[in-house]
Amino acid sequence: MPAVAKRADRHTPESLLAVAVDVFNVRGYDGTSMEELAKAAGITKSSIYHHVSGKEELLRLAVTRALDGLFAALDEPGALEGPAVDRFAYVVRRTCLELVRNLPYVTLLLRVRGNTGAERDALERRREFDHRVADLAAAAVADGDLRPDLDPRLTARLVFGLVNSVAEWYRPDGPVTGETVADALGSLVLDGLRPRS
Amino acid sequence: MPAVAKRADRHTPESLLAVAVDVFNVRGYDGTSMEELAKAAGITKSSIYHHVSGKEELLRLAVTRALDGLFAALDEPGALEGPAVDRFAYVVRRTCLELVRNLPYVTLLLRVRGNTGAERDALERRREFDHRVADLAAAAVADGDLRPDLDPRLTARLVFGLVNSVAEWYRPDGPVTGETVADALGSLVLDGLRPRS
């Protein structure tokens, strides 16, 4: 009789996904084995296969959640109604808020490199999101409400780089709220650090 | 007699360091073994020990180079002379330029986590650099040349996050020069995307 007792699988698909996302973020998706996932979840490998078909399905579920949150923001009234510059500002702020609210999932999305089908699909949806926001910025430039002298593609790169960089240091238990970060970031992007006279 | 011929060690300390930085950036410092370094350099492990005391010395040499470049920018006339706002703008632009010019070394520096003495020393110098730039920003706020309504620590986080994010996508053989990126980034940070009337 083996000395090691079988541990019951108390995981829901939801709780298993949360464990997997944390492990992927620490060890990297490529560097994580099913054995390590099972160990982190405190269940057997075969119990994991009871929930999902494998590692790639967990990745797909995780990045889909992150992407669905980002795309949902584009369908909110703030992103649909009013001048393009206000819609652009709304989306920049909301993207930042989505990142801090959904931090492990968005962090994982930002690290996706495209080695698997799930990763390539995620990269394609990220590109679509970037294009939607770049279109908003272009409309605001056409309205005369954003500067025409900055290259729109480079600007989009920088703005998303700024938003994404928040994932590097933001901690939900830290002293700064997500709203504060989103407000400061939106204000920096739209108005810059120099005072407006 | 072994079938594998010994390969001559044609490395200089400089070329060995360049190989090590690339391997660290791909596999992570913690995830890289001396065996992998030797394989990537095309020499034996004992040949590496002929150049350096080990993995940590390679890391120290690499991040020291990145940090020396950043600190050198603080001693240039543009960072020392004139109004604080201009010195701040100069340093932001120069930090961005230093990153693209010294990309593998600065990328490695940005990934340092503090597990070894070399990493902790590097983090301490990074903090010192951040403080020097934050002091410049505070002086510019005191002069009335930067907005007083943004929290200076949060602003510094965002600005450095923006600069560092360039390492995620910038490629030396890409269509955009480092100068173009540094100019656009500096302009975004100082003046924002909204036109100034």
Side-chain angles (χ1 to χ4, degrees):
Chain A
M1 200 175 146
V4 180
K6 258 194 188 174
R7 273 188 271 180
D9 175 10
R10 294 202 184 83
H11 277 291
T12 60
E14 179 63 30
S15 68
L16 181 63
L17 188 59
V19 170
V21 169
D22 287 342
V23 179
F24 291 158
N25 277 332
V26 171
R27 305 190 52 87
Y29 173 70
D30 291 329
T32 303
S33 65
M34 285 297 282
E35 283 78 8
E36 285 164 325
L37 282 181
K39 203 177 158 195
I43 57 179
T44 62
K45 255 171 68 174
S46 60
S47 296
I48 294 189
Y49 286 117
H50 185 73
H51 292 287
V52 289
S53 62
K55 206 172 83 155
E56 192 174 345
E57 190 182 342
L58 285 165
L59 181 72
R60 192 180 288 277
L61 288 168
V63 296
T64 298
R65 170 175 310 194
L67 285 159
D68 287 352
L70 291 168
F71 274 94
L74 295 180
D75 291 329
E76 292 168 359
L80 296 171
E81 296 160 12
V85 65
D86 294 345
R87 291 185 280 141
F88 172 77
Y90 179 86
V91 170
V92 168
R93 190 179 180 283
R94 273 294 280 116
T95 306
C96 182
L97 267 184
E98 196 59 32
L99 180 145
V100 298
R101 284 180 188 160
N102 228 350
L103 192 61
Y105 294 86
V106 180
T107 300
L108 183 63
L109 175 67
L110 294 177
R111 294 183 183 168
V112 152
R113 287 291 169 261
N115 295 324
T116 62
E119 290 174 275
R120 283 188 292 274
D121 291 347
L123 286 178
E124 200 177 308
R125 285 190 75 197
R126 265 189 75 180
R127 273 193 292 272
E128 194 199 325
F129 184 84
D130 292 359
H131 284 152
R132 298 265 303 265
V133 184
D135 287 348
L136 268 183
V141 171
D143 291 345
D145 292 331
L146 286 185
R147 288 164 59 186
D149 61 315
L150 294 175
D151 174 65
R153 283 191 58 194
L154 180 52
T155 304
R157 283 243 192 226
L158 291 174
V159 171
F160 281 115
L162 172 58
V163 172
N164 297 344
S165 74
V166 173
E168 297 294 316
W169 59 267
Y170 185 79
R171 295 294 164 263
D173 53 359
V176 192
T177 68
E179 279 74 14
T180 303
V181 177
D183 288 344
L185 189 150
S187 177
L188 172 63
V189 165
L190 271 290
D191 293 321
L193 295 181
R194 240 194 275 267
R196 303 224 156 205
S197 46
Chain B
M1 198 173 146
V4 179
K6 259 197 187 169
R7 272 189 272 179
D9 175 9
R10 293 205 185 80
H11 277 291
T12 59
E14 179 63 30
S15 69
L16 181 62
L17 187 60
V19 170
V21 168
D22 288 342
V23 178
F24 290 157
N25 278 332
V26 170
R27 304 190 54 86
Y29 173 70
D30 291 330
T32 303
S33 66
M34 285 297 283
E35 282 77 10
E36 286 164 324
L37 281 181
K39 202 177 158 194
I43 57 179
T44 62
K45 255 170 70 176
S46 59
S47 296
I48 294 189
Y49 286 117
H50 183 73
H51 291 288
V52 289
S53 63
K55 209 172 81 156
E56 194 175 343
E57 188 182 343
L58 286 165
L59 180 71
R60 191 180 288 276
L61 288 167
V63 296
T64 297
R65 171 175 309 195
L67 285 159
D68 287 351
L70 292 169
F71 274 94
L74 295 181
D75 291 329
E76 292 168 359
L80 296 172
E81 295 160 13
V85 65
D86 294 344
R87 290 185 281 141
F88 172 77
Y90 179 85
V91 170
V92 168
R93 189 180 181 282
R94 273 293 280 117
T95 306
C96 182
L97 268 184
E98 196 59 32
L99 181 144
V100 298
R101 286 182 189 159
N102 229 350
L103 192 61
Y105 294 86
V106 180
T107 300
L108 184 63
L109 175 66
L110 295 175
R111 294 183 182 167
V112 152
R113 286 294 170 260
N115 294 324
T116 62
E119 290 174 276
R120 284 188 291 274
D121 291 347
L123 286 178
E124 201 177 308
R125 286 190 74 195
R126 264 188 76 180
R127 274 193 292 272
E128 192 198 326
F129 184 84
D130 292 359
H131 284 152
R132 297 264 306 261
V133 183
D135 286 348
L136 268 183
V141 171
D143 291 345
D145 291 331
L146 286 185
R147 290 164 58 186
D149 61 316
L150 294 175
D151 174 65
R153 282 191 57 194
L154 180 53
T155 304
R157 283 244 193 225
L158 292 172
V159 171
F160 280 116
L162 171 57
V163 172
N164 297 345
S165 74
V166 173
E168 296 294 315
W169 59 267
Y170 185 80
R171 295 294 165 264
D173 53 358
V176 192
T177 68
E179 278 74 14
T180 303
V181 177
D183 288 343
L185 189 150
S187 178
L188 173 64
V189 164
L190 270 291
D191 294 320
L193 295 180
R194 240 196 275 268
R196 303 226 156 204
S197 47

